[in-house]
Amino acid sequence: MEYLIGIQGPDFVLVAADSVAASSIIKMKDDHDKMFKLSDNILLLCVGEAGDTVQFAEYIQKNVQLYKMRNGYELSPTAAANFTRKNLADYLRSRTPYHVNLLLAGYDQADGPALFYMDHLSALAKAPFAAHGYGAFLTLSILDRYYKPGGWTGEQDASLLSILNKRFILNLPSFNVRAIDKEGVHDLEKVCGREREREGRERESR
Amino acid sequence: PFLASTLYLCCILSCTAPDSVPAPDASGWSAGGPGGPDSAPGAGPDSAPGAVPLPFPTAHGTTTLGFLFQGGVLAAADTRSSCSGLVACPASRKVVPLHRHLLALGSGTSADIALWRRILARELRLYQLRHGRRLTTGGAAKLLALMLHPFKGTELAGPPGGGAGTSRGGARLYYVCSDGKRLRGELFSVGSGSPYAYSVLDEEVRWGLSVEQAARAGREAVYRASRRDAYSGNCVDVFLVTAVVYLIKHRENKP
């Protein structure tokens, strides 16, 4: 029911996550941010079991920051992804495995944009595009069909998410969208339906 | 005196321990939730044989709610403690102040809630003594979530709860669950009656409510939930947390 998507462009990575925090049948929060900023150039998107997501993501986040404090330079996206995978793998066969599915997106000054797909069994794959959740069934094929390494733009992202509104039985009303390029992480405009926009404006005007 | 963070924690412990149903406790609540001694953990909450299983395991026999508005945080809860179909205590207190600016709302097994409430109150006080300032609402919610995390998955602790309070940043409302979820929001309801309360609240709650209107909205939501939910009922407690102190409304009887 939660949904993550990441798309790598020529010199950026676009990531989006739905913003619903649910508890059984109730939507407890509809402006929940599932992205964790590991550093100025790396975002970790994390969905999965309720408490595990935040605990694991914050653990990774703090360790990445600790590495920077100790060594004076930041982990690259590749290194951060492998570090995350190693932690997932170590906990996998312990008494307390973390049931989380992750996307790690980053921009390395040397290597360019990178998107990594990780799942709860601690698989790691670098991919040009990736998605988690039931919505992935609907959106990955579109990406397979239309993705070209040099040709993905932001507008196509919105149209991609509109297919979820059309075909997915669950209503995912709004999505947080961010882009990472050589200047860092940028918040993009939320993709949401009209009613949510109205509520958002109401909230902001307070 | 500096502004204290009011953290309103709803700790709801729902513990369906099949082999040890606590005896009805006259001095407090007893096990909330419909899980009886025969129901296995995680099984449908309906223990009657041949009953239609519910689509989700209902939590704790309670309706508690909290929402933010211009006057602070309003918290309301019912006062029924149930124990497998028996009303163990019709006058229990589910909204408990942790300190002057912090309220805890609990839903779940009363024993576990009482325990975690005391532990949290102790930790908050220790923090205040060590650091010279009170922990913010978010900090207290985080503390509780971290303390509960090691118990995740065990039958022992299962508190979903909410915390409401005012801190340096203003009024805050947090939802803390025993499975580790911690959400900051503007409107939460926890307990078996919460879906009913949510719908009423979503209709009535606006930021610009006056205190009287907000109290009425909270009371109405708890009342409506207790009409439909068997495990909520009796009276309604209404609390208001402002920047200065929390205020209690006189406990109202359900008509």
Side-chain angles (χ1 to χ4, degrees):
Chain A
M1 281 186 274
E2 297 179 296
Y3 178 68
L4 300 178
I5 184 168
I7 306 172
Q8 180 187 329
D11 55 357
F12 64 89
V13 188
L14 253 182
V15 287
D18 76 295
S19 51
V20 170
S23 174
S24 79
I25 62 168
I26 302 282
K27 238 196 297 192
M28 304 224 66
K29 200 165 183 238
D30 53 13
D31 54 1
H32 188 225
D33 192 359
K34 301 184 187 179
M35 306 195 196
F36 295 84
K37 201 167 155 187
L38 297 190
S39 75
D40 288 335
N41 295 313
I42 309 179
L43 270 182
L44 183 70
L45 287 75
C46 194
V47 292
E49 200 176 323
D52 286 352
T53 51
V54 174
Q55 292 277 355
F56 184 74
E58 287 193 347
Y59 174 72
I60 300 295
Q61 192 181 39
K62 302 312 172 202
N63 271 287
V64 169
Q65 289 167 359
L66 181 64
Y67 186 94
K68 182 181 176 185
M69 282 182 215
R70 280 189 179 145
N71 300 291
Y73 61 92
E74 289 183 340
L75 277 173
S76 68
T78 313
N82 279 286
F83 170 72
T84 309
R85 189 213 70 83
K86 180 78 168 64
N87 271 288
L88 265 177
D90 286 340
Y91 279 101
L92 182 63
R93 290 195 169 87
S94 71
R95 265 188 327 109
T96 57
Y98 285 107
H99 197 282
V100 293
N101 293 314
L102 309 164
L103 287 181
L104 192 142
Y107 189 94
D108 192 22
Q109 301 298 336
D111 298 328
L115 175 70
F116 293 90
Y117 168 100
M118 272 175 275
D119 71 359
H120 66 278
L121 297 172
S122 60
L124 171 69
K126 187 170 187 305
F129 54 86
H132 277 298
Y134 287 120
F137 288 94
L138 297 163
T139 45
L140 281 175
S141 50
I142 301 181
L143 286 165
D144 282 330
R145 167 72 180 83
Y146 292 108
Y147 177 82
K148 291 188 180 15
W152 195 264
T153 63
E155 289 75 36
Q156 290 170 298
D157 203 42
S159 72
L160 196 72
L161 296 176
S162 71
I163 200 72
L164 286 180
N165 282 328
K166 187 170 191 291
R167 285 288 180 191
F168 194 31
I169 56 167
L170 294 185
N171 180 30
L172 292 176
S174 68
F175 300 87
N176 286 321
V177 186
R178 293 202 167 96
I180 312 177
D181 60 17
K182 62 181 190 312
E183 271 124 38
V185 178
H186 306 280
D187 287 351
L188 300 181
E189 198 182 308
K190 274 190 210 196
V191 176
C192 49
R194 257 176 260 124
E195 192 204 314
R196 299 276 307 115
E197 275 176 24
R198 183 179 52 82
E199 284 173 28
R201 276 198 295 274
E202 244 177 75
R203 200 176 292 141
E204 278 159 33
S205 64
R206 280 198 226 114
Chain B
F2 35 71
L3 277 183
S5 320
T6 322
L7 181 63
Y8 180 81
L9 288 170
C10 260
C11 300
I12 301 180
L13 286 173
S14 64
C15 173
T16 56
D19 36 315
S20 61
V21 169
D25 181 11
S27 67
W29 328 342
S30 53
D38 305 312
S39 67
D46 215 332
S47 47
V52 176
L54 291 179
F56 59 95
T58 59
H60 340 298
T62 283
T63 308
T64 59
L65 59 93
F67 60 87
L68 293 183
F69 71 110
Q70 54 84 18
V73 191
L74 192 104
D78 73 308
T79 59
R80 171 177 292 179
S81 286
S82 51
C83 175
S84 303
L86 158 74
V87 175
C89 177
S92 57
R93 214 169 269 134
K94 305 191 187 186
V95 184
V96 166
L98 290 181
H99 57 72
R100 220 156 58 120
H101 299 257
L102 199 69
L103 287 183
L105 295 168
S107 138
T109 320
S110 355
D112 280 332
I113 296 179
L115 172 69
W116 282 106
R117 196 169 276 161
R118 284 177 63 105
I119 291 176
L120 184 66
R122 177 194 74 199
E123 292 301 324
L124 292 180
R125 183 68 178 137
L126 281 174
Y127 185 95
Q128 184 187 1
L129 290 170
R130 284 176 186 144
H131 296 93
R133 60 182 177 88
R134 265 183 250 212
L135 203 51
T136 61
T137 308
K142 190 90 183 166
L143 184 61
L144 182 66
L146 290 173
M147 287 197 290
L148 291 173
H149 185 69
F151 297 95
K152 182 174 173 171
T154 65
E155 287 175 14
L156 170 66
T166 57
S167 67
R168 278 176 292 286
R172 295 274 186 273
L173 177 65
Y174 284 85
Y175 167 86
V176 179
C177 186
S178 63
D179 62 10
K181 194 182 299 193
R182 169 182 164 266
L183 302 171
R184 178 180 157 190
E186 296 177 349
L187 191 155
F188 286 118
S189 175
V190 207
S192 56
S194 66
Y196 308 111
Y198 264 119
S199 3
V200 175
L201 286 174
D202 283 335
E203 285 300 307
E204 296 201 346
V205 168
R206 299 278 176 269
W207 180 262
L209 291 176
S210 71
V211 171
E212 275 309 310
Q213 288 172 325
R216 198 162 53 234
R219 178 201 166 282
E220 186 73 21
V222 175
Y223 166 62
R224 292 287 161 209
S226 58
R227 287 291 283 178
R228 281 289 178 183
D229 179 32
Y231 298 96
S232 308
N234 298 106
C235 307
V236 181
D237 279 339
V238 178
F239 282 72
L240 174 69
V241 184
T242 64
V244 177
V245 78
Y246 72 86
L247 309 164
I248 312 175
K249 269 182 78 76
H250 179 67
R251 171 172 283 189
E252 299 193 25
N253 278 319
K254 197 179 76 157

